Amino acid sequence: MKSIKIVTLFVLALCIHLSTFGQTTPTPPTPPETNSNSSYSYRSTGSKSSHSISISNDNDTYKLRARYNKKLTSKIRTFLMKKLTNKNYYKVGTSSHWKIEKNDESVFYCKLAKNSLKIYMDKESFSGSFQKEIIAMGKELRYLISGRNAVEENKRELERAERELKRAQKALKEAQDRLNDH
């Protein structure tokens, strides 16, 4: 009889323990950090020229990569020398480089070769005004390389945004109609 009481007390204590500590409310996982990422890619091949431009701009970094006809290299070099000046400029062979380092890490670089251009910027290392300058420079380079006009490009972007808006408005109306039907 004594052993039945001990077993009963043990089971009762175990039940109380499990009900108190056995089920805890799970902590939800932290949502991933969202980056507003915008990118632009353009590729053109024609009888006289061929070029591609890729621009990635998120919360932390800005990257531009371009390939183009090597005849454009001197125009692009002149443009970059004007925008970036001779500050942190050096040459390696036939390629031109601009580089800024902080704590022995490259936080900005621009490499111009015969038919390619690479730009990288760690946005966390620079002020907003420098970031805006580099992003604006990238847009100008995009027009210079592609041969497109900024006004024409903006007009095309506006037309595309209007088409997307119309599609979104149509989808919203359809969803509202389905909701009202039920």
Side-chain angles (χ1 to χ4, degrees):
M1 186 78 167
K2 195 175 185 183
S3 62
I4 292 177
K5 286 182 181 179
I6 292 174
V7 170
T8 305
L9 284 175
F10 178 73
V11 170
L12 183 62
L14 183 62
C15 288
I16 292 172
H17 175 74
L18 288 176
S19 68
T20 305
F21 299 107
Q23 293 182 350
T24 59
T25 306
T27 51
T30 55
E33 194 175 301
T34 57
N35 288 334
S36 65
N37 184 11
S38 63
S39 63
Y40 170 86
S41 293
Y42 181 78
R43 186 173 199 61
S44 170
T45 55
S47 60
K48 293 185 179 183
S49 68
S50 171
H51 59 271
S52 67
I53 306 163
S54 173
I55 299 173
S56 172
N57 183 15
D58 62 33
N59 289 343
D60 303 325
T61 60
Y62 175 84
K63 297 175 188 175
L64 180 146
R65 290 180 179 264
R67 291 206 167 274
Y68 45 83
N69 187 321
K70 62 184 172 184
K71 292 178 183 176
L72 283 175
T73 303
S74 63
K75 282 185 181 180
I76 295 170
R77 182 177 286 112
T78 302
F79 175 82
L80 290 172
M81 291 296 275
K82 180 181 168 188
K83 293 290 183 176
L84 299 175
T85 66
N86 284 331
K87 193 174 189 179
N88 304 311
Y89 172 77
Y90 62 97
K91 283 188 78 132
V92 176
T94 59
S95 62
S96 300
H97 300 259
W98 291 263
K99 187 175 187 179
I100 299 173
E101 290 185 343
K102 290 186 179 177
N103 300 327
D104 295 329
E105 284 190 42
S106 182
V107 293
F108 174 83
Y109 72 80
C110 176
K111 178 185 177 188
L112 174 67
K114 282 184 193 176
N115 64 343
S116 69
L117 173 66
K118 292 179 184 178
I119 297 176
Y120 168 82
M121 173 178 54
D122 176 4
K123 292 168 80 174
E124 295 175 345
S125 300
F126 294 100
S127 68
S129 61
F130 183 77
Q131 292 177 32
K132 287 177 185 176
E133 284 178 40
I134 299 303
I135 292 168
M137 183 181 78
K139 285 183 181 179
E140 290 180 63
L141 284 164
R142 183 174 91 183
Y143 301 130
L144 179 67
I145 293 168
S146 70
R148 291 185 163 193
N149 181 321
V151 174
E152 290 174 12
E153 192 77 20
N154 289 336
K155 188 177 176 181
R156 277 192 208 102
E157 287 180 22
L158 176 62
E159 290 169 353
R160 187 183 77 244
E162 287 172 342
R163 285 191 306 270
E164 289 175 9
L165 176 61
K166 285 180 184 177
R167 278 193 288 266
Q169 287 172 333
K170 183 180 176 183
L172 175 63
K173 184 177 181 335
E174 289 172 356
Q176 287 173 334
D177 290 345
R178 282 192 306 271
L179 185 64
N180 291 335
D181 289 342
H182 293 293

